[in-house]
Amino acid sequence: MLLYGLIGWGLDRWLGTSFLVAIGIIAGAALGTYQTYKRFQIPDDDPQDGGKQ
């Protein structure tokens, strides 16, 4: 969130806008949530090994 928020803040200052920081924070939160989900997701059984481990 911090990285994307800072990128949005920098773009806001450069472009003279005021909404990119909010978009950056939301994008950072969404990306962090997705990465956490993928990291702790339980892998499915591989259909090629017949379900044996």
Coordinates of all heavy atoms in Angstrom, one line a residue:
M1 N 0.8 -1.2 0.0 CA 0.0 0.0 0.0 C 0.9 1.3 0.0 O 0.5 2.2 -0.7 CB -0.9 0.0 1.2 CG -2.1 -0.9 1.2 SD -3.1 -0.9 2.6 CE -3.4 0.7 2.9
L2 N 1.9 1.2 0.8 CA 2.8 2.4 0.9 C 3.4 2.7 -0.4 O 3.4 3.9 -0.8 CB 3.8 2.1 2.0 CG 4.8 3.3 2.3 CD1 4.0 4.5 2.7 CD2 5.8 2.9 3.3
L3 N 4.0 1.7 -1.1 CA 4.7 1.9 -2.3 C 3.7 2.5 -3.4 O 4.0 3.5 -4.0 CB 5.3 0.6 -2.9 CG 5.9 0.7 -4.2 CD1 7.1 1.6 -4.2 CD2 6.3 -0.7 -4.7
Y4 N 2.6 1.9 -3.6 CA 1.6 2.4 -4.6 C 1.0 3.7 -4.2 O 0.7 4.6 -5.0 CB 0.5 1.4 -4.9 CG 1.1 0.2 -5.7 CD1 1.5 -1.0 -5.1 CD2 1.1 0.4 -7.1 CE1 2.0 -2.0 -5.9 CE2 1.6 -0.7 -7.9 CZ 2.1 -1.8 -7.3 OH 2.6 -2.9 -8.0
G5 N 0.8 4.0 -2.9 CA 0.4 5.3 -2.4 C 1.4 6.3 -2.7 O 1.0 7.5 -3.1
L6 N 2.7 6.0 -2.5 CA 3.7 7.0 -2.8 C 3.8 7.3 -4.3 O 4.0 8.4 -4.7 CB 5.0 6.6 -2.3 CG 5.2 6.7 -0.8 CD1 6.5 6.0 -0.3 CD2 5.2 8.1 -0.3
I7 N 3.6 6.2 -5.1 CA 3.6 6.4 -6.6 C 2.5 7.3 -7.0 O 2.6 8.2 -7.8 CB 3.6 5.1 -7.3 CG1 4.9 4.3 -7.1 CG2 3.3 5.3 -8.8 CD1 4.9 2.9 -7.6
G8 N 1.3 7.1 -6.4 CA 0.1 7.9 -6.7 C 0.3 9.3 -6.2 O 0.0 10.3 -6.9
W9 N 0.9 9.5 -5.1 CA 1.2 10.9 -4.6 C 2.2 11.6 -5.5 O 1.9 12.8 -5.8 CB 1.8 10.8 -3.2 CG 2.2 12.1 -2.6 CD1 1.3 13.0 -2.0 CD2 3.5 12.6 -2.5 NE1 2.1 14.1 -1.6 CE2 3.4 13.9 -1.9 CE3 4.7 12.2 -2.9 CZ2 4.5 14.7 -1.7 CZ3 5.8 13.0 -2.7 CH2 5.7 14.2 -2.1
G10 N 3.2 10.9 -5.9 CA 4.2 11.5 -6.8 C 3.5 11.9 -8.2 O 3.8 13.0 -8.7
L11 N 2.7 11.0 -8.7 CA 2.0 11.3 -9.9 C 1.0 12.5 -9.8 O 0.9 13.3 -10.7 CB 1.3 10.1 -10.5 CG 2.1 9.0 -11.1 CD1 1.3 7.7 -11.3 CD2 2.9 9.5 -12.3
D12 N 0.3 12.5 -8.6 CA -0.5 13.7 -8.3 C 0.2 15.0 -8.3 O -0.2 16.0 -8.9 CB -1.2 13.5 -7.0 CG -2.5 12.7 -7.0 OD1 -3.1 12.5 -8.1 OD2 -2.9 12.1 -6.0
R13 N 1.4 15.0 -7.7 CA 2.2 16.2 -7.6 C 2.7 16.6 -9.0 O 2.7 17.8 -9.4 CB 3.4 16.0 -6.7 CG 3.0 15.7 -5.3 CD 3.2 16.7 -4.3 NE 4.4 17.5 -4.5 CZ 4.6 18.6 -3.7 NH1 3.8 18.8 -2.7 NH2 5.7 19.3 -3.9
W14 N 3.1 15.6 -9.8 CA 3.6 15.8 -11.1 C 2.5 16.3 -12.1 O 2.7 17.2 -12.9 CB 4.3 14.6 -11.6 CG 5.0 14.7 -13.0 CD1 5.8 15.7 -13.4 CD2 4.9 13.8 -14.0 NE1 6.2 15.4 -14.7 CE2 5.7 14.3 -15.1 CE3 4.2 12.6 -14.2 CZ2 5.8 13.6 -16.3 CZ3 4.4 11.9 -15.4 CH2 5.2 12.4 -16.4
L15 N 1.4 15.7 -12.0 CA 0.3 16.0 -13.0 C -0.7 17.0 -12.5 O -1.5 17.5 -13.3 CB -0.5 14.7 -13.3 CG 0.3 13.6 -14.0 CD1 -0.5 12.3 -14.1 CD2 0.8 14.0 -15.3
G16 N -0.6 17.4 -11.2 CA -1.5 18.4 -10.7 C -2.9 17.9 -10.4 O -3.9 18.6 -10.4
T17 N -3.0 16.6 -10.1 CA -4.3 16.0 -9.8 C -4.4 15.7 -8.3 O -3.5 16.0 -7.6 CB -4.5 14.7 -10.6 OG1 -3.4 13.8 -10.3 CG2 -4.5 14.9 -12.1
S18 N -5.5 15.1 -7.9 CA -5.6 14.9 -6.5 C -6.3 13.5 -6.2 O -6.7 13.3 -5.0 CB -6.4 16.0 -5.8 OG -7.7 16.0 -6.3
F19 N -6.4 12.7 -7.2 CA -7.1 11.4 -6.9 C -6.2 10.2 -7.1 O -6.6 9.1 -6.7 CB -8.3 11.3 -7.9 CG -7.9 11.3 -9.4 CD1 -7.6 10.1 -10.0 CD2 -7.8 12.5 -10.1 CE1 -7.3 10.1 -11.3 CE2 -7.4 12.5 -11.4 CZ -7.2 11.3 -12.0
L20 N -5.0 10.3 -7.7 CA -4.2 9.2 -7.9 C -3.6 8.5 -6.7 O -3.4 7.3 -6.6 CB -3.1 9.6 -8.9 CG -3.5 9.9 -10.3 CD1 -2.3 10.4 -11.1 CD2 -4.2 8.8 -11.0
V21 N -3.5 9.3 -5.6 CA -3.0 8.7 -4.4 C -4.0 7.7 -3.8 O -3.6 6.7 -3.3 CB -2.6 9.8 -3.3 CG1 -3.8 10.6 -2.8 CG2 -1.9 9.2 -2.2
A22 N -5.3 8.1 -3.9 CA -6.3 7.1 -3.4 C -6.4 5.9 -4.3 O -6.5 4.8 -3.8 CB -7.7 7.8 -3.5
I23 N -6.2 6.0 -5.6 CA -6.2 4.9 -6.5 C -5.0 4.0 -6.2 O -5.0 2.8 -6.2 CB -6.2 5.3 -8.0 CG1 -7.6 5.9 -8.3 CG2 -5.9 4.2 -8.9 CD1 -7.7 6.5 -9.7
G24 N -3.8 4.6 -5.9 CA -2.6 3.9 -5.6 C -2.8 3.1 -4.3 O -2.3 2.0 -4.2
I25 N -3.4 3.7 -3.3 CA -3.6 3.0 -2.0 C -4.5 1.8 -2.2 O -4.3 0.7 -1.7 CB -4.1 4.0 -0.9 CG1 -3.0 5.0 -0.6 CG2 -4.6 3.2 0.3 CD1 -3.4 6.1 0.3
I26 N -5.6 2.0 -2.9 CA -6.6 0.9 -3.2 C -5.9 -0.2 -4.0 O -6.1 -1.4 -3.7 CB -7.8 1.5 -3.9 CG1 -8.6 2.4 -2.9 CG2 -8.7 0.3 -4.4 CD1 -9.7 3.1 -3.5
A27 N -5.1 0.2 -5.0 CA -4.4 -0.8 -5.8 C -3.4 -1.6 -5.0 O -3.3 -2.8 -5.1 CB -3.8 -0.2 -7.0
G28 N -2.7 -0.9 -4.1 CA -1.7 -1.6 -3.2 C -2.4 -2.5 -2.2 O -1.9 -3.6 -2.0
A29 N -3.5 -2.1 -1.7 CA -4.3 -3.0 -0.8 C -4.8 -4.2 -1.5 O -4.7 -5.3 -1.0 CB -5.4 -2.2 -0.1
A30 N -5.3 -4.0 -2.7 CA -5.8 -5.2 -3.5 C -4.7 -6.1 -3.9 O -4.8 -7.3 -3.8 CB -6.5 -4.7 -4.8
L31 N -3.6 -5.6 -4.3 CA -2.4 -6.4 -4.6 C -1.9 -7.2 -3.4 O -1.6 -8.4 -3.5 CB -1.3 -5.6 -5.3 CG -0.1 -6.4 -5.7 CD1 -0.5 -7.4 -6.8 CD2 1.0 -5.4 -6.3
G32 N -1.8 -6.5 -2.3 CA -1.4 -7.2 -1.0 C -2.3 -8.3 -0.6 O -1.9 -9.4 -0.2
T33 N -3.6 -8.1 -0.7 CA -4.6 -9.1 -0.4 C -4.5 -10.3 -1.3 O -4.5 -11.4 -0.9 CB -6.0 -8.5 -0.5 OG1 -6.1 -7.4 0.4 CG2 -7.1 -9.5 -0.1
Y34 N -4.3 -10.0 -2.6 CA -4.2 -11.1 -3.6 C -2.9 -11.9 -3.3 O -3.0 -13.1 -3.4 CB -4.2 -10.5 -5.0 CG -3.9 -11.5 -6.1 CD1 -4.8 -12.5 -6.4 CD2 -2.6 -11.6 -6.7 CE1 -4.6 -13.4 -7.4 CE2 -2.4 -12.5 -7.7 CZ -3.3 -13.4 -8.0 OH -3.0 -14.4 -9.0
Q35 N -1.8 -11.2 -3.1 CA -0.6 -11.9 -2.8 C -0.7 -12.8 -1.6 O -0.1 -13.9 -1.5 CB 0.6 -11.0 -2.7 CG 1.0 -10.4 -4.0 CD 2.1 -9.4 -3.9 OE1 2.3 -8.7 -2.9 NE2 2.9 -9.2 -5.0
T36 N -1.3 -12.3 -0.5 CA -1.5 -13.1 0.7 C -2.4 -14.3 0.4 O -2.1 -15.4 0.9 CB -2.1 -12.2 1.8 OG1 -1.3 -11.1 2.0 CG2 -2.3 -13.0 3.1
Y37 N -3.4 -14.1 -0.3 CA -4.3 -15.2 -0.7 C -3.6 -16.3 -1.4 O -3.7 -17.5 -1.1 CB -5.5 -14.7 -1.5 CG -6.3 -15.8 -2.1 CD1 -7.2 -16.5 -1.3 CD2 -6.2 -16.1 -3.5 CE1 -8.0 -17.5 -1.9 CE2 -7.0 -17.1 -4.0 CZ -7.9 -17.8 -3.2 OH -8.6 -18.8 -3.8
K38 N -2.8 -15.9 -2.4 CA -2.0 -16.9 -3.2 C -0.9 -17.6 -2.4 O -0.7 -18.7 -2.6 CB -1.4 -16.2 -4.5 CG -2.4 -15.8 -5.5 CD -3.3 -16.9 -6.0 CE -2.7 -17.6 -7.1 NZ -3.6 -18.7 -7.7
R39 N -0.3 -16.8 -1.5 CA 0.7 -17.4 -0.7 C 0.2 -18.5 0.3 O 0.9 -19.5 0.5 CB 1.4 -16.3 0.2 CG 2.3 -16.7 1.2 CD 3.6 -17.4 0.6 NE 4.5 -17.7 1.7 CZ 4.6 -19.0 2.2 NH1 3.7 -19.9 1.9 NH2 5.5 -19.2 3.1
F40 N -1.0 -18.3 0.8 CA -1.5 -19.2 1.8 C -2.6 -20.1 1.3 O -3.3 -20.9 2.0 CB -2.0 -18.5 3.1 CG -0.9 -17.8 3.8 CD1 -0.7 -16.5 3.8 CD2 0.0 -18.6 4.6 CE1 0.3 -15.8 4.4 CE2 1.0 -18.0 5.2 CZ 1.2 -16.6 5.2
Q41 N -2.8 -20.2 0.0 CA -3.8 -21.0 -0.7 C -3.3 -22.5 -0.6 O -2.1 -22.8 -0.8 CB -4.0 -20.6 -2.1 CG -5.0 -21.4 -2.8 CD -5.1 -20.9 -4.3 OE1 -4.3 -20.2 -4.8 NE2 -6.2 -21.3 -4.9
I42 N -4.2 -23.4 -0.2 CA -3.9 -24.8 -0.2 C -3.9 -25.3 -1.6 O -4.9 -25.2 -2.3 CB -4.9 -25.6 0.7 CG1 -4.9 -25.0 2.1 CG2 -4.7 -27.0 0.6 CD1 -5.9 -25.6 3.0
P43 N -2.8 -25.9 -2.0 CA -2.8 -26.4 -3.4 C -3.7 -27.6 -3.6 O -3.9 -28.4 -2.8 CB -1.3 -26.8 -3.6 CG -0.8 -27.1 -2.3 CD -1.6 -26.1 -1.3
D44 N -4.3 -27.6 -4.8 CA -5.2 -28.8 -5.2 C -4.3 -30.0 -5.5 O -3.1 -29.8 -5.8 CB -6.0 -28.4 -6.4 CG -7.0 -27.3 -6.1 OD1 -7.4 -27.2 -4.9 OD2 -7.4 -26.6 -7.0
D45 N -4.9 -31.1 -5.5 CA -4.2 -32.3 -5.9 C -3.9 -32.3 -7.3 O -4.7 -31.8 -8.1 CB -5.0 -33.6 -5.6 CG -5.1 -33.9 -4.1 OD1 -4.2 -33.4 -3.3 OD2 -6.1 -34.6 -3.7
D46 N -2.7 -32.7 -7.7 CA -2.3 -32.7 -9.1 C -3.1 -33.9 -9.8 O -3.0 -35.0 -9.5 CB -0.8 -32.9 -9.2 CG -0.3 -32.8 -10.7 OD1 -1.1 -32.4 -11.5 OD2 0.9 -33.0 -10.9
P47 N -3.9 -33.5 -10.8 CA -4.7 -34.6 -11.5 C -3.8 -35.6 -12.3 O -4.2 -36.7 -12.6 CB -5.6 -33.8 -12.5 CG -5.0 -32.5 -12.7 CD -4.2 -32.2 -11.4
Q48 N -2.5 -35.2 -12.6 CA -1.6 -36.1 -13.3 C -1.0 -37.2 -12.4 O -0.6 -38.2 -12.9 CB -0.5 -35.3 -14.0 CG -1.0 -34.4 -15.0 CD 0.1 -33.6 -15.7 OE1 1.2 -33.6 -15.2 NE2 -0.2 -32.8 -16.7
D49 N -1.0 -37.0 -11.1 CA -0.4 -38.1 -10.3 C -1.5 -39.0 -9.7 O -1.1 -39.9 -8.9 CB 0.4 -37.4 -9.2 CG -0.4 -36.7 -8.1 OD1 -1.6 -36.7 -8.2 OD2 0.2 -36.1 -7.2
G50 N -2.7 -38.9 -10.1 CA -3.7 -39.8 -9.7 C -4.2 -39.6 -8.2 O -4.8 -40.4 -7.6
G51 N -3.9 -38.4 -7.7 CA -4.2 -38.1 -6.3 C -3.3 -38.7 -5.2 O -3.6 -38.6 -4.1
K52 N -2.2 -39.4 -5.7 CA -1.3 -40.0 -4.7 C -0.2 -39.0 -4.4 O 0.3 -38.3 -5.3 CB -0.7 -41.3 -5.3 CG -1.8 -42.3 -5.7 CD -1.1 -43.5 -6.3 CE -2.2 -44.5 -6.8 NZ -1.7 -45.6 -7.5
Q53 N 0.3 -39.1 -3.2 CA 1.4 -38.2 -2.8 C 2.5 -39.0 -2.3 O 2.6 -39.9 -1.7 CB 0.9 -37.2 -1.8 CG 0.0 -36.2 -2.4 CD -0.3 -35.1 -1.4 OE1 0.5 -34.8 -0.6 NE2 -1.4 -34.4 -1.6

